[in-house]
Amino acid sequence: QVHLVESGGGLVQPGGSLRLSCAASGSRFSFPIMGWYRQAPGKQRELVASVSIDGTKNYADVVRGRFTISRDNAKNTMYLQMNSLKPEDTAVYYCNGVPVTWPWGQGTQITVSS
C-alpha cells in the first residue's frame, strides 16, 4: 500500500510561483505514470499534469506552459513547479498514479489571490 503526502501549498499572489512535492512511502516509486490532480470548490477533481517513468510529460491545456512536472524515482518523490499562477488555479492539489491507483492523500491547498 502506498501512502502519499503532498506539501508545498500556500497563499500566493497572481503571477507568483510555488513548488509542490509528493512523497510516496510504502512501496517503490516505480508506477509507470504519476500525476498531479486538483479539485477546486464545487468542481470535480481533474488531472493537470502527468509524467511517465521514462520522463514523458503531459499537461492539461489550462496549465501547459506554466506548470512543470518532474519525478525522482530514487527519492520516491514527484514535483510540480507552478509559475504564473492565476486565481483559477486555486484548488487542493493531490498526487496519485494515472489512472488513480492508491488512496488519496490529504492534498495541499493552493490559494491564488491578491
Side-chain angles (χ1 to χ4, degrees):
Q1 182 76 331
V2 172
H3 179 58
L4 301 167
V5 178
E6 302 90 352
S7 62
L11 173 64
V12 63
Q13 292 186 341
S17 298
L18 284 173
R19 188 190 194 211
L20 306 185
S21 297
C22 167
S25 62
S27 180
R28 291 181 58 83
F29 200 64
S30 59
F31 197 74
I33 304 175
M34 293 292 298
W36 282 99
Y37 300 77
R38 71 184 183 187
Q39 187 167 22
K43 295 186 177 181
Q44 290 189 334
R45 198 168 307 189
E46 62 177 348
L47 176 67
V48 297
S50 64
V51 56
S52 67
I53 200 167
D54 68 358
T56 301
K57 302 173 184 180
N58 285 286
Y59 299 94
D61 289 343
V62 292
V63 305
R64 186 176 292 112
R66 300 187 297 121
F67 291 8
T68 302
I69 191 171
S70 60
R71 64 191 287 175
D72 185 334
N73 294 326
K75 296 182 178 180
N76 278 11
T77 305
M78 182 173 65
Y79 306 96
L80 186 68
Q81 178 65 43
M82 310 164 66
N83 298 329
S84 301
L85 283 161
K86 303 176 180 180
E88 50 264 44
D89 295 319
T90 295
V92 180
Y93 285 70
Y94 303 86
C95 59
N96 212 306
V98 179
V100 175
T101 306
W102 301 293
W104 293 103
Q106 83 287 350
T108 187
Q109 174 72 49
I110 307 299
T111 302
V112 184
S113 176
S114 56

